[in-house]
Amino acid sequence: MPFTGFIAVISLTPSGTFTEAMGLSLLIVTTSPGGSLSNWIASLFNADLTLSVTMTSINTLLSSFLLPINLLLYTHLSYGVAGGESGSNVINNLEWGGLFISIGVVVSGILAGLAASYKFGSPKFHRRSNKFGSAMGTILCTYSLMISSGSDSAWYAQSWQFYVGMTLPPALGLGLANVIGCILKLESPERVTISIECSIQNVAIAATASLNMFDDQIDRDQALAVAIAYGIISMFLAVCYSFVSWKVGWTKAPADENFCVILTKTYEVDDDMEKQHASESTGGDECFDHLEENLTTADK
């Protein structure tokens, strides 16, 4: 993902459609870890939610040191090599405090969720948590769509080149992850989950950084426009991909089930319960067969 963001920045910057504030914001987005939005989409469409949360958790923990490394590298390649004094100003605008605070909030949420799952590990708690998380995800998406500065730099008032640049990184991440998953012969729900994870980043980190890095209101609005537009476009692509995956039978939800039903029902918890029940039933049958064999031997 960092490389796809770098390609988008160097492709659009010479045309004048991408300001330095926009380019820096896009690099922050693409070097950020996956966000909770990917968990929400995986949950809604019944992909492998456990794998999704695991990937987000590991990715977020690793980002505490990989994010600054990738961000410094690609910012230097994009602006520092030939940017002269202007490029140095872009690099100096990096606000590490805001970035690490955002990462800390995400990590805290993940750890709290893991602790709650460990302490209240019943299927009933999992179902309620799943519904609560889906509701909060809906509220988060609605709130993000409503955010707007109302200026000419708003996310909905950009040129078509801007939206091409916002579409390129998540589209490439989604497509490449799906192809690699097919080559590795992963299970379909796992392949869907990995593809979603590789297309959605934590735009909250870039949004927070945008508010802290720039003093000029126009630069701040432009940087924030990138975070919002990227979040909307990547979510749209992931939802479309997840819908198609469900209809072709790649998720855990039946392809012929009602759409509203699969959005509100978690098949992953049900599958786990069925497997556990089957395991217990198998164990009981084996004990019964063993007991019957012993009784037959005793009669003989």
Side-chain angles (χ1 to χ4, degrees):
M1 291 303 292
F3 182 73
T4 61
F6 167 69
I7 294 298
V9 169
I10 63 174
S11 299
L12 295 177
T13 298
S15 65
T17 58
F18 239 45
T19 65
E20 292 177 351
M22 290 179 176
L24 183 55
S25 182
L26 181 58
L27 290 175
I28 294 174
V29 170
T30 53
T31 54
S32 296
S36 57
L37 182 60
S38 60
N39 306 146
W40 178 59
I41 294 177
S43 173
L44 279 182
F45 287 91
N46 289 277
D48 195 326
L49 180 58
T50 302
L51 177 61
S52 178
V53 174
T54 301
M55 289 184 65
T56 300
S57 303
I58 295 175
N59 195 8
T60 302
L61 293 174
L62 292 178
S63 70
S64 59
F65 63 91
L66 289 180
L67 187 151
I69 293 174
N70 283 321
L71 186 56
L72 276 176
L73 171 64
Y74 288 107
T75 301
H76 181 70
L77 292 176
S78 300
Y79 298 104
V81 174
E85 183 178 351
S86 176
S88 299
N89 290 334
V90 174
I91 297 176
N92 291 334
N93 275 330
L94 293 174
E95 175 56 48
W96 300 110
L99 293 177
F100 285 113
I101 289 175
S102 300
I103 294 175
V105 170
V106 176
V107 171
S108 298
I110 291 172
L111 294 177
L114 292 175
S117 179
Y118 176 78
K119 185 173 181 60
F120 310 102
S122 65
K124 184 177 182 180
F125 174 79
H126 288 165
R127 286 195 184 93
R128 291 182 176 179
S129 299
N130 182 274
K131 292 180 180 180
F132 177 77
S134 297
M136 292 300 101
T138 302
I139 294 174
L140 176 63
C141 293
T142 303
Y143 176 74
S144 298
L145 289 172
M146 293 174 61
I147 294 178
S148 172
S149 62
S151 67
D152 293 336
S153 300
W155 65 269
Y156 52 78
Q158 304 299 323
S159 65
W160 65 269
Q161 294 96 331
F162 173 86
Y163 299 106
V164 170
M166 295 300 98
T167 305
L168 180 62
L172 285 176
L174 191 68
L176 290 175
N178 195 63
V179 170
I180 294 174
C182 292
I183 294 176
L184 297 177
K185 298 180 179 180
L186 299 177
E187 296 289 336
S188 296
E190 295 176 348
R191 186 168 66 248
V192 172
T193 299
I194 292 174
S195 299
I196 295 173
E197 287 291 326
C198 290
S199 65
I200 294 182
Q201 307 301 110
N202 193 330
V203 296
I205 294 177
T208 302
S210 300
L211 297 175
N212 294 325
M213 284 191 302
F214 302 102
D215 296 327
D216 184 77
Q217 184 64 42
I218 295 178
D219 288 341
R220 187 180 302 161
D221 290 344
Q222 290 175 347
L224 189 60
V226 169
I228 297 174
Y230 187 98
I232 293 172
I233 292 173
S234 62
M235 180 181 69
F236 175 77
L237 293 176
V239 168
C240 291
Y241 169 77
S242 300
F243 180 83
V244 173
S245 299
W246 163 58
K247 295 305 293 183
V248 299
W250 287 357
T251 68
K252 297 183 179 182
D256 56 351
E257 184 60 272
N258 183 276
F259 182 61
C260 294
V261 173
I262 70 117
L263 291 181
T264 56
K265 182 178 180 180
T266 169
Y267 292 86
E268 181 156 11
V269 175
D270 294 339
D271 288 346
D272 292 342
M273 290 181 63
E274 290 177 1
K275 290 178 181 179
Q276 181 179 0
H277 178 71
S279 177
E280 292 174 352
S281 299
T282 301
D285 292 340
E286 290 177 353
C287 291
F288 180 78
D289 293 340
H290 184 65
L291 178 60
E292 184 178 15
E293 182 181 350
N294 289 340
L295 290 175
T296 303
T297 303
D299 291 341
K300 290 181 180 180

